[in-house]
Amino acid sequence: MPTEKILVRGKIYNPTSPSQWEYYTNGAFLMNALGRIEAVGEYPLLKQIQGITMTLDFSDYLILPGLIDVHTHLPQLPIRGKTAGTLLDWLNRYAFPVEEAFADTVYAESLSRLFFESLKANGTTTAMVYSSVHEASTNTAFEAAQYSGMRVIMGKVMMDQHAPQSLLENTKESILASERLAKSWHGENNDLIRYAFTPRFALSCSQELLEAAGDLHRRFPESYIQSHLSENLTEIEEVEKLYGNQYSYTQIYQHTGCLGPRTVMAHGIHLSSEELVLLLTSQTRIAHCPTSNFFLKSGFFNLPAFRKYHIPFALGSDIGGGPDLCLFRVMRAMDEMQLKNHGFVSPMEAIYQGTLGGAKVLSLEDETGNFQVGKSADFIVLNTQNLNCLETAEDQSIEEILSQLVYLGDSSQVIKTFIRGQEVYSKPEADFSTEFIKFQTHPPNVLQSPPLQTR
Ligand code: GUN
Ligand code: ZN
């Protein structure tokens, strides 16, 4: 039995609810050889624990739980920021063609590697991901997920109607391919990898396919379902034309067995109060994707209603509907997109929704999301000094530090990313962006600069 005990030292921020947290300015946590947290607290106390074999000293840096992205599309990485009107036009113009390209497994391999490396460089340690309809390329994407060391819940898109011919599947084949992939990958890499059955949305799935996705999910314990719900008004009209208006959009998923505590529906913007109640009673989770809602002009997430109904939700980048990989950008947009509904989002709540809130939405709260004893050490080391040109971390409150992180932060703050105690990303030294700090502490010495050359 390995006995290694590593002490990680830094400014530890530990979210415990949307409005509560612990913060240790001179903090530390202890992790064992399996990458599990054994103690969290003040460094002067923890350093006295017997048997510490190594200390990782990040005392100048802020340490946060790893970020959790509960909705993103791997094949859409190349089309980020390419605008083409609202959802259905954008899908036809950009999303479907770039997913067609994913049929090529060589291309799929290099894109998948880039995708997971980019997530880690942006501080994301867990992601719920859509691949494309292609079975072979989804296998390739899972291989890249495994190689990355990330915690990944992923699935092959299922689609048997209302999409370009080249992306349409035979219903039975879609079901069989999904089952084969779940058998191969669900629980792999020591349970870091899980399978999500992925009927794209009601518009592109027959009733038979939706029902099959629900059945498959029930046959694979701890698997998931992911889909889209009520994102855009034209989409909702089209769903009504297809399924009739005696059922709401949410009821279509309910009647086909697709709702439940391991279902993550993206968006949920234009929902009636009956639909909100249905989400609550079925314990279905929502991926809130504010950068995408802005980019595709889909509408405003009704945060006050979600709070009132206590429906679990967390943040998704929705690449490429959302342009930003980095969840700090998504957190900022969460607040910005509340202008209409007058919902105020504190930086603490935004950080919670991108960490512990995400873990809860994915039923992974016993495993990741914060620094609770017994959980995996999934964490990121951040340089927040480069966000503030006047004060050091010691001069600021944690509320001020996190506010600047949420409103100004991106991948430039991410120095290192760890999953289950293993370092999976480290920023190249030259990018540490500490020049400004050096400048503060060591003003340029004019006497040492070379003399001016005169003729
Ligand atoms: N609805 C169905 N497919 C998609 C997609 O790829 N992106 C977004 N934002 N919404 C969808
Ligand atoms: Zn999406």
Side-chain angles (χ1 to χ4, degrees), residues 15-17 68 351-352 354-361 365 368-370 375:
T16 53
S17 85
I68 299 180
I351 299 262
Y352 170 85
T355 54
L356 187 56
K360 288 193 172 172
V361 157
E365 69 270 29
T368 187
N370 71 357
K375 290 193 187 186

Side-chain angles (χ1 to χ4, degrees), residues 167-232:
L167 289 176
L168 281 185
E169 305 173 282
N170 166 279
T171 310
K172 293 267 173 317
E173 242 324 293
S174 178
I175 298 165
L176 290 172
S178 300
E179 184 175 358
R180 284 191 291 269
L181 284 163
K183 271 191 186 141
S184 300
W185 289 103
H186 186 54
E188 278 303 294
N189 215 13
N190 267 326
D191 231 13
L192 281 176
I193 290 183
R194 304 268 179 98
Y195 198 80
F197 295 97
T198 309
R200 186 178 204 121
F201 63 159
L203 208 50
S204 66
C205 297
S206 64
Q207 189 171 331
E208 185 187 349
L209 194 60
L210 289 177
E211 282 168 355
D215 285 345
L216 282 166
H217 162 57
R218 280 180 287 282
R219 281 178 37 213
F220 284 83
E222 306 208 324
S223 70
Y224 296 81
I225 291 192
Q226 56 179 348
S227 192
H228 296 85
L229 168 68
S230 203
E231 176 179 4
N232 164 287

Side-chain angles (χ1 to χ4, degrees), residues 37-38 84 92 139 153 175-176 239 255 308 351 359 361 366 421 455:
I37 298 168
E38 293 199 337
N92 286 320
N139 254 317
I153 302 166
I175 298 165
L176 290 172
V239 169
H255 289 307
K308 185 174 136 202
I351 299 262
V361 157
D366 293 337
R455 282 168 189 265

Side-chain angles (χ1 to χ4, degrees), residues 89-149:
D89 290 338
W90 175 83
L91 282 174
N92 286 320
R93 173 75 179 85
Y94 286 119
F96 290 146
V98 85
E99 290 188 24
E100 280 168 17
F102 207 70
D104 176 346
T105 52
V106 176
Y107 166 75
E109 183 183 350
S110 56
L111 187 64
S112 302
R113 292 243 177 159
L114 174 67
F115 180 80
F116 292 115
E117 287 313 304
S118 306
L119 288 187
K120 291 186 293 184
N122 278 280
T124 300
T125 51
T126 300
M128 189 169 200
V129 183
Y130 287 54
S131 174
S132 65
V133 290
H134 310 99
E135 182 180 5
S137 295
T138 305
N139 254 317
T140 303
F142 270 116
E143 279 160 15
Q146 183 167 36
Y147 178 83
S148 75

Side-chain angles (χ1 to χ4, degrees), residues 22 39 47 54 73 75 99 107 165 190 206 337 376-377 425:
E22 293 158 357
K47 74 173 184 190
M54 191 201 297
H73 298 254
E99 290 188 24
Y107 166 75
Q165 196 57 39
N190 267 326
S206 64
M337 289 297 279
S376 278
Y425 167 77

